[in-house]
Amino acid sequence: MRNILAIAEREVRTYFTSPLAYVVVGVFLMLSGYIFWASLVRFSALCLQYGNNPYVFNQLNVNDMVIRPLFGSMGVIFLLMIPVITMRLMAEERRTGTAELLFTCPVTTGQVILGKYLGASFLLLVMLGATLTYPLLIMASSAKPDMKPTLVGYLGVLLMGLAFLGIGLLVSAMTENQIIAAVGAFGALLLMWSVGWVAESVTVTLAALLNTATFGLWEKLKLGLGGPTLGDLLSRISISEHFGDFRKGLLDTEHVVFYLSVVFFSLFLTQRVVESRRWRG
């Protein structure tokens, strides 16, 4: 554990002794702050407009009109920001040749990967922690947001960010070029984000696909052509689909397990990639 924390501290120091952390945090706060401000101004305008209409006024909810759009926007911003955070984690070590020195130290590959992941996670926590001022600003006004769905939303954003970091770290381990690592991570994240958009339109069943792949043998064995569709599978692996309930303030352990599974498998695959490179010299 001491080695993991030492590597994590080294990563945090590297982030905050370079402009990278400040640029990433600054851009994230600027974009999320603008979206929060725009949503808050619209909510305030509607409150003033319908202040004399109790029925409509009571329908205005600060969580639905300000907090929920903010969380959705944070997910989109993460698609752009997380690859910038993870692009240097493994790629820079390989480019500068310090990877060999690092791995000759008395630390395991798993400890190096976990340390780097924790260092990047700390930067993510700083980014999210700075946005806690948004709901606090609302609480200081006459509008009182419901804090339970707000906290659930923050948990969802945090879990999604951790999953993004795992995928970004995996892509970074595959190359020594930081630009390729950033673009590759963005492409992978965008694919996992958007795969749910086409899920509803894909109605072919998995059994039918297996029947096609086995040249009709599946149907001859009378295994059936019904069951879940390919769209059901795509919605299961879509990061945005699992984020929907968090935005609504609904806590479902299925979504928590999904994001933690993405983190686990990403780190596991990263270790396999790094180990294979070490053995190949």
Side-chain angles (χ1 to χ4, degrees):
M1 192 64 190
R2 182 179 301 175
N3 291 335
I4 296 174
L5 293 178
I7 295 171
E9 182 181 351
R10 171 177 174 266
E11 288 303 317
V12 172
R13 193 164 52 245
T14 302
Y15 277 127
F16 285 94
T17 54
S18 71
L20 179 63
Y22 303 100
V23 171
V24 168
V25 174
V27 171
F28 177 73
L29 291 179
M30 182 183 68
L31 293 176
S32 62
Y34 172 76
I35 294 166
F36 170 75
W37 173 80
S39 301
L40 190 61
V41 167
R42 178 170 174 269
F43 175 75
S44 301
L46 290 174
C47 287
L48 290 174
Q49 182 178 352
Y50 294 104
N52 296 327
N53 188 333
Y55 176 76
V56 177
F57 184 78
N58 291 331
Q59 304 300 315
L60 301 176
N61 186 295
V62 69
N63 280 79
D64 292 339
M65 300 188 64
V66 180
I67 302 294
R68 189 183 297 180
L70 175 65
F71 289 138
S73 304
M74 284 183 182
V76 177
I77 299 171
F78 277 173
L79 287 175
L80 303 172
M81 295 288 103
I82 297 294
V84 178
I85 295 175
T86 58
M87 67 180 186
R88 52 159 298 278
L89 283 175
M90 300 302 295
E92 187 181 53
E93 299 282 4
R94 292 186 59 205
R95 184 184 63 81
T96 59
T98 54
E100 287 75 11
L101 293 175
L102 183 62
F103 287 118
T104 55
C105 297
V107 294
T108 65
T109 305
Q111 289 174 333
V112 172
I113 292 171
L114 275 178
K116 286 182 170 294
Y117 181 76
L118 288 179
S121 300
F122 180 82
L123 180 55
L124 176 68
L125 286 174
V126 172
M127 293 167 62
L128 285 180
T131 65
L132 288 173
T133 53
Y134 301 156
L136 293 178
L137 282 174
I138 298 177
M139 292 179 67
S141 66
S142 57
K144 301 298 180 185
D146 190 346
M147 289 308 295
K148 184 178 177 181
T150 302
L151 293 176
V152 171
Y154 264 107
L155 175 64
V157 173
L158 175 62
L159 288 172
M160 184 170 61
L162 292 175
F164 280 9
L165 287 178
I167 296 171
L169 181 61
L170 172 61
V171 177
S172 179
M174 295 178 176
T175 178
E176 60 182 28
N177 187 307
Q178 294 188 40
I179 302 300
I180 294 176
V183 174
F186 174 73
L189 296 178
L190 184 61
L191 179 63
M192 291 194 69
W193 179 277
S194 61
V195 73
W197 298 349
V198 297
E200 292 185 2
S201 60
V202 181
T203 58
V204 61
T205 64
L206 295 175
L209 290 176
L210 288 172
N211 185 54
T212 303
T214 57
F215 303 102
L217 179 61
W218 183 274
E219 188 174 9
K220 290 178 181 177
L221 294 175
K222 298 181 179 179
L223 296 175
L225 298 178
T229 65
L230 180 59
D232 295 331
L233 177 63
L234 293 177
S235 65
R236 291 280 183 181
I237 62 174
S238 169
I239 284 183
S240 59
E241 290 291 323
H242 286 276
F243 185 55
D245 281 346
F246 283 110
R247 288 183 59 196
K248 299 173 185 174
L250 302 175
L251 182 59
D252 190 328
T253 53
E254 177 190 346
H255 306 314
V256 176
V257 171
F258 169 78
Y259 285 123
L260 294 181
S261 299
V262 172
V263 172
F264 174 80
F265 282 110
S266 298
L267 297 184
F268 173 75
L269 292 176
T270 303
Q271 185 188 26
R272 294 294 91 191
V273 170
V274 174
E275 289 283 0
S276 67
R277 289 188 181 279
R278 290 182 65 186
W279 283 109
R280 282 184 294 175

